Amino acid sequence: MNPIEEAAWASDVEKCVQCGKCTAGCPSGRQSRLRTRALVQMAYQGYDVTDLKELWDCTTCYNCAERCPKGVNTVDAIIKLRNLAVRRGNFPKVHLNAIENLYNTGNGFPLSPEVAKIRSIIGLNKEPYDVSTDEEELSKVKKLMDITGFLKLVRGAGK
Ligand code: SF4
Ligand code: SF4
């Protein structure tokens, strides 16, 4: 069994009866190319899906797993396939940017000047209190990311 098939097996995909409820109930699939059943089935049959963009369209909401009448946990398979994708150098630039932001500011999606302006118009502080405004806490975030090697891993895979 190759690593792709192994990732698919993590979801108990062999119990799948092809009813399609996972794909039909996927909120992300309505807006993207993600087809949950097809993706996991392709992996189950050994096709390399680690370079498919739709692998990253899943929001891990678990709706598919909750709807499955056979208890197939498609999300587990998708997460394992993503892990494999990263190790193979397939990691979307947009996600890498969010992680770089997290490392540098403590916030994956820092406030834009436009949002800061709106906040001040409606009477909120321009900058909400978070890690980005606390040097000590930010250094802890950086240390954690350094120790785990997470940043190094995704930087090597980002493209
Ligand atoms: S967990 Fe992913 S694949 Fe499943 S329904 Fe949510 S977005 Fe779709
Ligand atoms: S909902 Fe479950 S049984 Fe139905 S197609 Fe999806 S994985 Fe297979």
Side-chain angles (χ1 to χ4, degrees):
M1 192 183 300
N2 71 35
I4 307 276
E5 292 167 301
E6 266 176 37
W9 272 84
S11 66
D12 288 333
V13 65
E14 73 280 8
K15 295 181 190 159
C16 174
V17 292
Q18 303 288 329
C19 69
K21 285 186 80 170
C22 49
T23 301
C26 174
S28 182
R30 285 177 213 140
Q31 314 293 333
S32 73
R33 284 165 299 188
L34 176 61
R35 299 293 176 266
T36 316
R37 178 178 64 95
L39 181 71
V40 177
Q41 277 298 322
M42 280 171 69
Y44 180 44
Q45 288 166 32
Y47 292 101
D48 187 356
V49 296
T50 55
D51 59 352
L52 296 182
K53 287 196 173 64
E54 53 265 44
L55 185 59
W56 299 94
D57 289 332
C58 168
T59 61
T60 63
C61 71
Y62 279 84
N63 204 29
C64 51
E66 284 182 4
R67 287 169 60 99
C68 178
K70 302 302 285 183
V72 179
N73 192 335
T74 29
V75 199
D76 279 359
I78 288 171
I79 291 169
K80 283 188 183 296
L81 289 165
R82 284 178 174 177
N83 291 344
L84 267 179
V86 171
R87 290 182 192 285
R88 292 177 171 193
N90 294 322
F91 189 56
K93 185 86 171 66
V94 64
H95 294 310
L96 179 61
N97 288 345
I99 290 166
E100 294 279 5
N101 284 337
L102 180 64
Y103 187 79
N104 292 322
T105 71
N107 190 338
F109 300 94
L111 282 189
S112 65
E114 293 78 19
V115 173
K117 194 173 164 192
I118 292 168
R119 286 179 63 86
S120 87
I121 289 170
I122 61 177
L124 296 172
N125 291 338
K126 268 191 179 174
E127 297 272 343
Y129 175 79
D130 65 14
V131 175
S132 63
T133 56
D134 188 324
E135 277 301 318
E136 196 183 332
E137 295 304 318
L138 180 56
S139 73
K140 289 180 193 168
V141 171
K142 289 187 175 181
K143 193 172 176 186
L144 196 60
M145 290 174 80
D146 287 336
I147 290 171
T148 58
F150 178 57
L151 191 64
K152 197 172 161 201
L153 174 70
V154 293
R155 271 186 181 153
K159 63 180 192 180

